């Protein structure tokens, strides 16, 4: 399984198990995020600590989560970014749009 979900009282935590978040697996991420949103979960935390690479398709998946949470008055937080993934996010200037934390604890505190 490429992505696993753990739900708690504050948020659903989606953990990526892919090394590369790209066109080959981003549809799985989007489907997972959409399913959680349809269940009424509007606070999502995305753990990218196992993801070493992210292309524009991957960024699109991340932005989908951000939009779904924003549209449902929730919060979307990502954490565990590797240097390469953070670099891609900064190049796309998405660090100004996305909430990025260093750890799961910090992510949950920010919700």
């Amino acid at each position: 399984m490429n992505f696993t979900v753990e739900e708690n009282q504050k948020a659903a935590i989606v953990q990526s198990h892919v090394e590369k978040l790209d066109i080959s697996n981003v549809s799985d991420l989007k489907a997972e995020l959409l399913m959680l949103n349809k269940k009424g979960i509007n606070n999502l935390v995305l753990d990218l600590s196992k993801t070493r690479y992210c292309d524009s398709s991957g960024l699109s998946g991340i932005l989908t989560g951000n939009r779904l949470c924003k549209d449902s008055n929730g919060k979307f937080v990502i954490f565990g970014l590797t240097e390469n993934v953070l670099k891609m996010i900064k190049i796309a200037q998405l660090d100004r749009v996305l909430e990025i934390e260093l750890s799961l604890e910090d992510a949950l505190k920010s919700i």
Side-chain angles (χ1 to χ4, degrees):
M1 182 168 266
N2 290 334
F3 303 94
T4 55
V5 178
E6 178 188 323
E7 295 178 35
N8 68 28
Q9 293 176 347
K10 281 187 137 183
I13 302 157
V14 180
Q15 184 176 34
S16 169
H17 297 284
V18 297
E19 189 169 324
K20 295 180 179 181
L21 185 57
D22 57 19
I23 192 73
S24 68
N25 53 37
V26 75
S27 60
D28 294 341
L29 175 61
K30 288 181 179 182
E32 200 69 58
L33 297 173
L34 189 59
M35 182 187 70
L36 291 167
N37 185 259
K38 286 188 182 226
K39 282 174 59 176
I41 298 171
N42 56 1
N43 293 322
L44 298 172
V45 175
L46 180 59
D47 176 359
L48 293 173
S49 58
K50 294 181 181 175
T51 301
R52 305 279 173 245
Y53 172 81
C54 179
D55 68 4
S56 60
S57 300
L59 292 178
S60 170
I62 294 169
L63 286 173
T64 296
N66 192 55
R67 180 184 48 81
L68 288 170
C69 291
K70 189 174 184 178
D71 290 350
S72 61
N73 296 315
K75 200 161 190 187
F76 183 75
V77 184
I78 58 176
F79 79 96
L81 301 181
T82 61
E83 187 177 326
N84 288 337
V85 174
L86 181 59
K87 188 177 190 180
M88 186 68 174
I89 287 172
K90 286 185 174 183
I91 288 170
Q93 296 183 350
L94 295 178
D95 55 325
R96 299 175 186 185
V97 176
L98 299 169
E99 180 160 349
I100 302 168
E101 296 292 345
L102 295 177
S103 68
L104 176 59
E105 294 78 25
D106 291 341
L108 291 173
K109 281 180 191 174
S110 73
I111 290 181

